[in-house]
């Protein structure tokens, strides 16, 4: 319990907010800002998977393959969705898993950070920790992922467009959209 918090300004995040979106959409960046505005923990599912496995995501893919990674991802997401409300940045593939998606719909509010191809390409460039983008042309892969995943991501409760704007502005828009969806004020920190 946080006894330091003045009860007159205390807020209550009723449910975890899960950030959904492709690699480079800004889930961690926007998620951290939302968490600090709402004074709740920020949790990065990829980091939790790495912690549980004692390996990086790239190592898990390399040693055991993607299906093994997806099993671990499903288990970690299930555990995290059973915990205290937080801002949870899911890996780009998590919402594609039917079981995880169902659980997210039951237990959380999902926020899709929708980004255009150019944004995703620019934001993932020069980074090598994402195995899906390490083989072949990243732009082609990201376009394919847009085609296959966006129809499913569109099942998220809330969606906002993200571009190359200042992340504080994007986070403010995200908060606004979430508050509208939930019909309540969430932020306590200006
Ligand atoms: C993946 C996205 C990555 C990570 C893994 C697979 C995906 O997370 O989970 O490399 O399938 O889209 P980020 O979206 O946080 O980069």
């Amino acid at each position: 319990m946080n006894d330091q918090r003045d009860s007159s300004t205390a807020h209550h995040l009723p449910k975890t907010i899960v950030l959904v979106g492709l690699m480079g959409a800004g889930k961690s960046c926007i998620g951290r800002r939302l968490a600090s505005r709402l004074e709740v923990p920020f949790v990065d599912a990829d980091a939790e998977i790495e912690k549980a496995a004692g390996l990086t995501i790239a190592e898990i893919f390399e040693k055991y393959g993607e299906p093994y990674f997806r099993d671990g991802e499903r288990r970690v997401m299930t555990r995290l969705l059973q915990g205290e409300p937080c801002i949870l940045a899911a890996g780009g593939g998590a919402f594609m898993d039917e079981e995880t998606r169902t659980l997210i719909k039951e237990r959380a509010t999902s926020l899709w950070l929708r980004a255009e191809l150019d944004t995703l390409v620019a934001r993932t460039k020069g980074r090598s920790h994402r195995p899906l983008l390490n083989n072949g042309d990243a732009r082609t892969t990201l376009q394919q992922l847009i085609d296959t995943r966006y129809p499913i991501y569109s099942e998220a409760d809330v969606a906002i467009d993200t571009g190359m704007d200042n992340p504080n502005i994007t986070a403010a828009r995200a908060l606004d959209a979430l508050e509208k969806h939930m019909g309540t004020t969430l932020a306590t920190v200006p």
Side-chain angles (χ1 to χ4, degrees), residues 3 16 28 36 38 40 54 61 63 97 128-129 141 159-160 183 185:
D3 298 327
T16 286
S28 301
S36 94
L38 302 182
V40 295
F61 268 72
K63 285 194 174 179
D97 180 87
S128 60
H129 66 288
T141 305
I160 63 157
T185 305

Side-chain angles (χ1 to χ4, degrees), residues 77-90:
M77 286 296 290
T78 303
R79 169 170 62 78
L80 296 173
L81 286 162
Q82 282 160 353
E84 289 297 305
C86 65
I87 304 294
L88 173 55

Side-chain angles (χ1 to χ4, degrees), residues 84-103:
E84 289 297 305
C86 65
I87 304 294
L88 173 55
F95 200 70
M96 298 305 291
D97 180 87
E98 197 176 345
E99 210 176 304
T100 305
R101 191 164 65 250
T102 301
L103 203 63

Side-chain angles (χ1 to χ4, degrees), residues 7-187:
S7 63
S8 64
T9 58
H11 69 290
H12 175 61
L13 181 64
K15 285 178 179 184
T16 286
I17 293 168
V18 176
L19 284 106
V20 172
L22 272 183
M23 297 169 276
K27 300 182 294 282
S28 301
C29 170
I30 302 305
R32 278 180 213 288
R33 284 167 172 79
L34 279 177
S36 94
R37 294 277 315 263
L38 302 182
E39 295 185 285
V40 295
F42 169 75
V43 181
D44 183 311
D46 284 346
E48 293 292 318
I49 295 165
E50 292 186 332
K51 222 192 290 172
L55 295 168
T56 65
I57 305 259
E59 286 167 343
I60 301 173
F61 268 72
E62 199 186 316
K63 285 194 174 179
Y64 302 108
E66 185 171 348
Y68 181 91
F69 168 77
R70 296 298 172 197
D71 285 345
E73 179 174 55
R74 189 180 311 111
R75 277 197 301 277
V76 167
M77 286 296 290
T78 303
R79 169 170 62 78
L80 296 173
L81 286 162
Q82 282 160 353
E84 289 297 305
C86 65
I87 304 294
L88 173 55
F95 200 70
M96 298 305 291
D97 180 87
E98 197 176 345
E99 210 176 304
T100 305
R101 191 164 65 250
T102 301
L103 203 63
I104 292 173
K105 287 180 183 176
E106 280 169 12
R107 305 194 66 107
T109 300
S110 47
L111 168 66
W112 173 23
L113 300 183
R114 185 171 46 209
E116 288 184 353
L117 181 61
D118 284 344
T119 304
L120 299 170
V121 171
R123 292 241 199 84
T124 53
K125 213 178 198 140
R127 314 209 49 195
S128 60
H129 66 288
R130 295 181 171 109
L132 295 185
L133 300 182
N134 288 347
N135 296 316
D137 175 49
R139 171 174 282 272
T140 307
T141 305
L142 285 164
Q143 181 61 64
Q144 283 163 355
L145 290 171
I146 286 175
D147 294 343
T148 53
R149 292 185 176 178
Y150 277 17
I152 305 287
Y153 287 174
S154 72
E155 294 178 30
D157 297 314
V158 181
I160 63 157
D161 289 307
T162 65
M164 301 301 275
D165 298 344
N166 177 324
N168 290 325
I169 294 174
T170 307
R173 280 200 292 115
L175 188 56
D176 217 43
L178 285 164
E179 288 182 334
K180 270 201 192 97
H181 172 78
M182 294 179 172
T184 182
T185 305
L186 296 172

